[in-house]
């Protein structure tokens, strides 16, 4: 018996029962569409979060000050334990690629009559490499600017767009920051929102020395970004920084750290784990509806076998073997499921697009999820089609022929 | 002058178990049928005619005795092997036509060819060609694309005959092939069957109630209570084609 012939017979059977076939596969359609959408949502979220974390810089350790007994507290309730000297000491450690301390605060910017509020962050030129964030226009300030406490600024895209009228190149212009006059030397490329949805482009970078001495009047830093040479060396480096800072801050062996090191790789791994579990969970919920769809297929196939008992008898009388009948009904069930699968994939694709468009939630329909859906629906067809097919094939030809 | 029998039944019995009791549908049937013979099986209702025909057609297995078909013992064959034998050697024609209602006449005729184990497998074109040939043979060349419901009873039965002969079987078995038809249409069907027997030399066995129909056969086997009661040769069987010519066209039942 030829497969092509079987397929023809199966399709013919399905075509002559259009509405029923459609209702039968509805379960599969919904199941597959749900699997596709759920995986797309999960994968999309994961891809977006991952790319956001990676946009913060690769192999990055972030050292924050943290309150502990004996630590020096600043006026604003902030903790002021980290200094530029700490940053420079960290830079001497092995496996360190670059170090960029940060001291930031909000400030009002002015260009001619236009004002705009943004985060002003004092840092070093290494910042552009640590965050992999080069100016699109102009350049970053230099080490020389730091030793000079120079009044130069590198501005983010949002600042450039809101402070300057369209068509004006900000590079070379003077802007006011809290009564000081800065010269814009560079405009950064757009970076988009951070994981928390924070805008990253509403920022102005100025030399850290300028920020400490001339703008904020403090001598601590808020954050030290440390880029490791490789992801393998991060754990070691985290340990080395801890030891170094404890020593420098003279913390006794039983004292608590007055700083906190965040490992972005670890955060990334956690996020990936979380989203993977979420995807799996969503997909298995969707998988349950596929299972329900499969039971629907089995039900209809059983009805179909009973209805077509006479047909089976006729086929057997003209020489169809049990195997041929079994194959015919299996092919029919699998065809039904695959048909449902294909419709489901299309619906799932549309659904994902719709979610992207309406909710602004990123989605990604991957080839693997499509293959999974197709494979699963074929498997459902074989699994739930086997029993009815076996029942058909096991009929006695005479009884089948006599069946009314 | 007798050649090797195409059908040879030796003490065939068939017992149906029915709950507590059992029914002896066949009780020791011994007959042989020569190639090219056309025989009728007659007998009262419930005498075992259909059961006998089903055993001969390998649709059913006897509970006792031996059955040789073309010299091969088929009483010991597996279900799979019996299906192959049915496909290759046997064509069935039923009282109720038994066509697939959802597909065309041509597709019905093609059905046995879909299950053939012929090597190489006939391709689609070849299958269509052979089905068309069989349809033309029963005079329905123009009706291939009709659905069974779009055909008269006689035409449907001729489609069934085309399906029975499409695999060039050695035997055609017909269980009351005219039972659902009026006299004239029945005679037309008999004409087709008789021509099959005479022109293609296919062995034919017909189960019938009507003596009129049995008259076209060379041999009449009477069955009663699962036994052979009488086995007669008819010297000069009637010819359906001649009777048809004498029959006025307008007259219907
Ligand atoms: N599947 C079955 N189960 C039980 N008994 C059966 C079965 N098939 C046939 N019989 C019995 O076997 C006997 C012979 O039946 P069969 O159908 O061969 O008769 P028949 O001669 O063809 O009758 P009719 O002329 O009415 O068609 C009957 O008594 C019938 O009740
Ligand atoms: Mg009968």
């Amino acid at each position: 018996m030829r497969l092509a012939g079987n397929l023809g017979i199966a399709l013919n059977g399905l075509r002559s029962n259009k509405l029923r076939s459609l209702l039968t596969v509805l379960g599969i359609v919904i199941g597959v569409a749900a699997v596709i959408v759920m995986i797309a949502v999960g994968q999309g979220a994961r891809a977006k979060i991952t790319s956001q974390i990676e946009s913060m810089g690769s192999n990055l350790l972030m050292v924050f000050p943290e309150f502990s007994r004996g630590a020096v507290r600043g006026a604003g309730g902030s903790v002021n334990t980290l200094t530029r000297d700490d940053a420079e000491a960290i830079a001497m450690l092995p496996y360190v690629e670059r170090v960029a301390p940060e001291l930031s605060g909000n400030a009002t910017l002015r260009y001619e009559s236009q004002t705009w509020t943004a985060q002003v962050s004092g840092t070093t030129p290494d910042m552009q490499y640590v965050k992999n964030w080069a100016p699109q226009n102009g350049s970053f300030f230099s080490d020389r600017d730091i030793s000079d406490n120079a009044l130069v600024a590198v501005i983010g895209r949002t600042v450039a767009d809101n402070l300057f009228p369209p068509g004006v190149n900000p590079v070379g212009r003077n802007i006011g920051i809290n009564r000081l006059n800065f010269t814009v030397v560079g405009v950064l490329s757009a970076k988009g929102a951070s994981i928390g949805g924070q805008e990253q482009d509403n920022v102005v970078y100025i030399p850290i020395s300028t920020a400490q001495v001339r703008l904020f009047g403090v001598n601590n830093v808020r954050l030290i970004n440390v880029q490791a040479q490789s992801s393998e060396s991060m754990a070691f480096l985290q340990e080395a920084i801890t030891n170094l800072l404890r020593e420098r801050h003279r913390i006794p062996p039983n004292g608590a750290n007055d700083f906190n090191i965040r490992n972005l790789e670890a955060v990334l791994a956690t996020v990936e784990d979380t989203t993977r579990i979420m995807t799996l969970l969503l997909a298995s919920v969707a998988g349950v509806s596929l299972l329900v769809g499969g039971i629907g297929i089995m039900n209809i196939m059983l009805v179909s076998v009973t209805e077509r008992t006479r047909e089976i008898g006729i086929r057997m009388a003209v020489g169809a073997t049990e195997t041929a009948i079994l194959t015919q009904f299996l092919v029919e069930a699998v065809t039904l499921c695959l048909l449902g699968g294909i419709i489901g994939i299309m619906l799932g694709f549309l659904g994902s697009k719709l979610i992207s468009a309406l909710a602004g939630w990123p989605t990604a329909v991957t080839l693997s999820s499509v293959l999974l859906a197709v494979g699963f629906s074929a498997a459902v067809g074989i699994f739930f089609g086997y029993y009815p097919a076996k029942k058909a094939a096991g009929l006695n030809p005479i009884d089948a022929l006599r069946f009314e | 002058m007798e050649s090797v029998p195409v059908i040879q039944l030796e003490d065939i019995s068939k017992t149906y178990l029915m709950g507590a009791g059992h029914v002896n549908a066949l009780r020791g049937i011994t007959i042989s049928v020569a190639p090219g013979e056309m025989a009728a099986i007659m007998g009262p209702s419930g005498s075992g005619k259909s059961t006998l025909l089903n055993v001969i057609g390998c649709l059913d297995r006897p509970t006792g005795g031996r059955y040789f078909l073309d010299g091969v013992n088929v009483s010991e064959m597996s279900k799979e092997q019996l299906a192959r034998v049915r496909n290759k050697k046997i064509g069935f024609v039923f009282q109720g036509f038994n066509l697939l209602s959802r597909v065309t006449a041509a597709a019905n005729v093609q059905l046995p060819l879909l299950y053939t184990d012929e090597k190489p497998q006939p391709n689609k074109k070849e299958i269509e060609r052979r089905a068309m040939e069989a349809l033309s043979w029963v005079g329905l060349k123009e009706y291939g694309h009709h659905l069974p419901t779009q055909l008269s009873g006689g035409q449907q039965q001729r489609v069934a005959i085309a399906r029975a002969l499409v695999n060039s079987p050695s035997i055609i078995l017909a269980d009351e092939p005219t039972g659902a038809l009026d006299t004239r249409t029945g005679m037309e069907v008999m004409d087709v069957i008789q021509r099959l027997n005479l022109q293609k030399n296919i062995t034919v066995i017909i189960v019938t109630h009507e003596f009129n129909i049995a008259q076209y056969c060379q041999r009449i086997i009477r069955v009663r209570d699962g036994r052979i009661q009488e086995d007669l040769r008819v010297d000069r069987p009637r010819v359906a084609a001649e009777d048809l010519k004498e029959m006025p066209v307008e007259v219907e039942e």
Side-chain angles (χ1 to χ4, degrees):
Chain A
M1 179 69 185
R2 296 129 12 110
L3 191 70
N6 255 325
L7 204 68
I9 294 167
L11 286 178
N12 230 319
L14 302 181
R15 212 175 298 135
S16 56
N17 245 323
K18 275 196 205 81
L19 183 64
R20 192 166 86 183
S21 301
L22 194 76
L23 290 175
T24 306
V25 299
L26 207 59
I28 298 288
V29 169
I30 292 170
V32 167
V35 167
I36 297 268
V37 170
M38 291 308 163
I39 292 182
V41 166
Q43 298 266 332
R46 184 166 149 204
K48 181 160 186 189
I49 292 170
T50 307
S51 85
Q52 280 169 341
I53 289 177
E54 274 165 359
S55 81
M56 293 176 73
S58 50
N59 303 335
L60 198 60
L61 293 172
M62 297 168 98
V63 186
F64 292 94
E66 190 167 89
F67 176 75
S68 75
R69 223 186 311 249
V72 186
R73 288 200 94 179
S78 61
V79 198
N80 306 328
T81 53
L82 292 179
T83 63
R84 278 180 67 193
D85 291 343
D86 287 335
E88 268 152 34
I90 290 171
M92 306 313 256
L93 288 173
Y95 301 114
V96 171
E97 181 77 21
R98 292 171 202 282
V99 171
E102 268 187 81
L103 171 64
S104 48
N106 283 336
T108 304
L109 316 177
R110 186 186 312 280
Y111 173 72
E112 293 175 349
S113 61
Q114 184 71 20
T115 58
W116 181 252
T117 303
Q119 190 191 49
V120 176
S121 189
T123 188
T124 60
D126 273 349
M127 187 60 149
Q128 60 187 315
Y129 307 111
V130 168
K131 290 217 166 177
N132 189 21
W133 198 10
Q136 188 184 40
N137 202 346
S139 60
F140 221 84
F141 49 79
S142 64
D143 287 325
R144 178 80 192 278
D145 292 322
I146 296 198
S147 39
D148 289 354
N149 292 3
L151 293 169
V152 287
V154 177
I155 62 175
R157 187 76 254 164
T158 307
V159 175
D161 288 344
N162 288 284
L163 200 57
F164 292 91
V168 173
N169 181 3
V171 177
R173 312 260 169 188
N174 286 337
I175 57 172
I177 305 178
N178 287 4
R179 292 197 197 86
L180 289 172
N181 242 333
F182 285 74
T183 307
V184 176
V185 293
V187 179
L188 293 165
S189 55
K191 195 147 183 133
S194 75
I195 319 170
Q198 273 170 326
E199 236 230 284
Q200 297 184 93
D201 292 315
N202 193 21
V203 73
V204 176
Y205 284 121
I206 59 172
I208 181 117
S209 51
T210 316
Q212 285 185 325
V213 178
R214 304 176 76 161
L215 195 63
F216 299 121
V218 296
N219 48 23
N220 65 302
V221 299
R222 277 280 175 73
L223 158 69
I224 302 173
N225 296 293
V226 183
Q227 188 178 33
Q229 277 169 0
S230 64
S231 59
E232 292 80 40
S233 54
M234 290 185 76
F236 170 83
L237 195 55
Q238 189 166 355
E239 179 103 32
I241 293 171
T242 309
N243 292 337
L244 176 78
L245 291 182
R246 284 180 71 92
E247 198 177 306
R248 286 180 58 85
H249 297 179
R250 297 200 177 79
I251 299 170
N254 55 353
N257 290 342
D258 59 356
F259 56 90
N260 177 17
I261 304 177
R262 241 180 262 168
N263 181 341
L264 273 190
E265 289 292 304
V267 174
L268 190 66
T270 317
V271 167
E272 290 208 324
D273 272 359
T274 316
T275 51
R276 190 175 307 122
I277 289 169
M278 182 179 91
T279 306
L280 210 70
L281 207 75
L282 290 176
S284 50
V285 167
V288 168
S289 63
L290 254 185
L291 207 72
V292 173
I295 294 169
I297 295 265
M298 172 140 105
N299 183 27
I300 283 302
M301 290 304 295
L302 281 174
V303 170
S304 164
V305 166
T306 309
E307 271 183 3
R308 288 154 68 189
T309 301
R310 215 183 161 84
E311 172 192 329
I312 295 163
I314 294 170
R315 288 177 185 279
M316 285 176 159
V318 302
T321 59
E322 284 188 33
T323 320
I325 300 290
L326 184 84
T327 314
Q328 182 194 330
F329 279 87
L330 262 189
V331 165
E332 228 177 273
V334 172
T335 307
L336 260 179
C337 285
L338 282 181
L339 223 66
I342 289 166
I343 301 173
I345 286 169
M346 294 192 292
L347 270 183
F349 201 77
L350 286 179
S352 306
K353 286 264 171 289
L354 209 68
I355 287 179
S356 290
L358 292 184
W361 190 276
T363 59
V365 176
T366 58
L367 184 68
S368 60
S369 71
V370 168
L371 291 181
L372 184 84
V374 171
F376 209 94
S377 46
V380 163
I382 291 173
F383 186 79
F384 290 101
Y386 187 79
Y387 176 68
K390 190 80 195 160
K391 210 178 144 183
L395 285 171
N396 178 354
I398 309 237
D399 297 339
L401 274 172
R402 281 220 190 100
F403 186 85
E404 286 303 325
Chain B
M1 68 160 265
E2 286 287 282
S3 47
V4 181
V6 60
I7 295 164
Q8 193 176 346
L9 301 179
E10 293 177 0
D11 199 23
I12 290 287
S13 61
K14 176 79 188 176
T15 307
Y16 291 108
L17 296 173
M18 295 273 294
H22 55 268
V23 181
N24 293 314
L26 300 177
R27 317 168 186 236
I29 300 256
T30 302
I31 39 168
S32 62
V33 179
E37 245 188 308
M38 177 153 169
I41 299 178
M42 297 191 72
S45 187
S47 55
K49 305 182 296 291
S50 296
T51 307
L52 180 57
L53 201 72
N54 291 339
V55 167
I56 294 173
C58 298
L59 270 175
D60 209 353
R61 268 191 285 201
T63 34
R66 297 199 300 168
Y67 171 22
F68 294 90
L69 184 108
D70 273 343
V72 182
N73 187 351
V74 294
S75 32
E76 282 163 9
M77 281 188 174
S78 68
K79 283 178 102 177
E80 189 94 7
Q81 286 172 311
L82 289 179
R84 299 247 168 270
V85 168
R86 289 199 295 272
N87 183 253
K88 218 179 299 178
K89 299 200 167 164
I90 296 163
F92 287 98
V93 178
F94 303 93
Q95 176 175 7
F97 319 136
N98 272 339
L99 298 174
L100 298 185
S101 56
R102 292 189 308 202
V103 298
T104 60
N108 267 287
V109 177
Q110 289 165 14
L111 204 57
L113 292 168
L114 299 182
Y115 297 108
T116 180
D117 62 351
E118 225 175 87
K119 295 273 158 27
Q121 292 269 301
N123 60 23
K124 193 170 186 304
K125 226 171 159 179
E126 173 66 9
I127 288 177
E128 281 169 1
R129 191 192 64 74
R130 289 196 213 168
M132 192 39 76
E133 197 179 283
L135 271 174
S136 321
W137 209 90
V138 299
L140 291 175
K141 196 176 175 181
E142 316 294 328
Y143 292 84
H145 58 278
H146 284 229
L147 289 174
T149 46
Q150 296 164 336
L151 296 172
S152 73
Q155 287 170 329
Q156 286 186 56
Q157 194 59 301
R158 279 172 6 203
V159 170
I161 294 172
R163 181 180 65 192
L165 70 87
V166 74
N167 253 0
S168 319
S170 31
I171 314 169
I172 285 192
L173 304 173
D175 197 343
E176 310 204 26
T178 60
L181 305 173
D182 64 49
T183 316
R184 186 188 169 83
T185 321
M187 210 173 289
E188 283 169 1
V189 165
M190 281 315 293
D191 173 43
V192 174
I193 294 177
Q194 206 169 33
R195 282 195 293 119
L196 256 176
N197 172 250
L198 293 174
Q199 295 173 14
K200 293 191 174 260
N201 205 35
I202 297 176
T203 310
V204 174
I205 301 182
I206 297 174
V207 167
T208 182
H209 274 114
E210 297 169 66
F211 188 68
N212 279 344
I213 298 298
Q215 279 184 311
Y216 296 108
C217 301
Q218 303 146 4
R219 182 177 174 185
I220 299 175
I221 302 166
R222 288 187 185 274
V223 180
R224 191 177 196 107
D225 280 341
R227 290 196 183 86
I228 301 218
Q229 189 191 26
E230 191 180 41
D231 189 348
L232 283 179
R233 303 234 154 240
V234 179
D235 287 339
R236 284 193 50 217
R238 299 184 70 94
V239 177
E242 285 171 6
D243 289 356
L244 265 176
K245 255 182 251 159
E246 280 161 26
M247 198 173 223
V249 181
E250 303 79 16
V251 176
E252 306 252 301
E253 279 293 281

